[in-house]
Amino acid sequence: MNINAKATEIVAGVIVKDKKVLVALRGAGMTNAGKWEFPGGKLNPDEKYEDALVRELKEELDVAAVCLEEAGGVEVDVNEGEVLIIMFIFADADISSVKLKEHSSFKMVNMTELKTLDMTEPDKVFIKNFESFLKNKID
């Protein structure tokens, strides 16, 4: 990481149900619109990753979430002088009540399908770096 780079901390939720994982399609007007992602967002100042994830999943999907365990973190250079630090956390939520606020769609996918989706760059890096760990949770 460039020592002068601006770091943005982000949290993403990895919601697993019946050996499948939830992914959401970024809606029109969002950066990377039309790409799939694990839902989440930026941390507020002095906010913990777990608290941010619970807040973000409520804001984006209107679900109450419970953080289970950290899945792993990635660092991605998005452009000259900006680095994203993303913590992926396994979470539990009642997906039967999802109401999309920012995304245009969501679905539950297995590992094979997950690897074929057009995911955002940080999500691709996470899937590649933590594939064996993910395979223990999803089919």
Side-chain angles (χ1 to χ4, degrees):
M1 178 169 106
N2 175 342
I3 195 142
N4 297 319
K6 176 183 176 260
T8 301
E9 289 184 296
I10 296 172
V11 65
V14 183
I15 300 171
V16 177
K17 296 280 185 193
D18 301 321
K19 302 291 271 176
K20 293 188 175 186
V21 66
L22 184 143
V23 290
L25 188 63
R26 293 182 66 82
M30 295 175 79
T31 305
N32 293 313
K35 289 192 179 275
W36 293 92
E37 70 174 355
F38 297 108
K42 294 178 185 172
L43 274 67
N44 290 328
D46 300 320
E47 191 174 31
K48 293 180 179 153
Y49 283 108
E50 293 83 2
D51 295 337
L53 183 60
V54 169
R55 177 183 52 75
E56 284 287 343
L57 291 176
K58 183 66 177 168
E59 289 174 5
E60 292 184 4
L61 305 177
D62 198 22
V63 295
V66 176
C67 296
L68 302 175
E69 68 176 309
E70 288 183 1
V74 300
E75 191 175 288
V76 179
D77 291 316
V78 286
N79 57 44
E80 206 63 36
E82 185 177 6
V83 173
L84 300 180
I85 299 168
I86 304 101
M87 178 59 68
F88 293 83
I89 297 176
F90 285 109
D92 188 34
D94 179 4
I95 58 170
S96 67
S97 65
V98 168
K99 292 184 188 85
L100 298 173
K101 306 281 182 99
E102 298 178 13
H103 297 86
S104 59
S105 182
F106 82 97
K107 60 183 174 178
M108 301 299 293
V109 299
N110 62 25
M111 191 68 188
T112 303
E113 188 176 1
L114 180 64
K115 289 169 63 176
T116 66
L117 292 175
D118 185 15
M119 303 287 288
T120 64
E121 193 58 32
D123 295 282
K124 286 181 193 175
V125 172
F126 168 71
I127 293 164
K128 181 177 177 239
N129 291 354
F130 295 94
E131 183 173 352
S132 60
F133 187 49
L134 279 170
K135 280 183 177 177
N136 290 331
K137 304 278 187 182
I138 62 178
D139 192 13

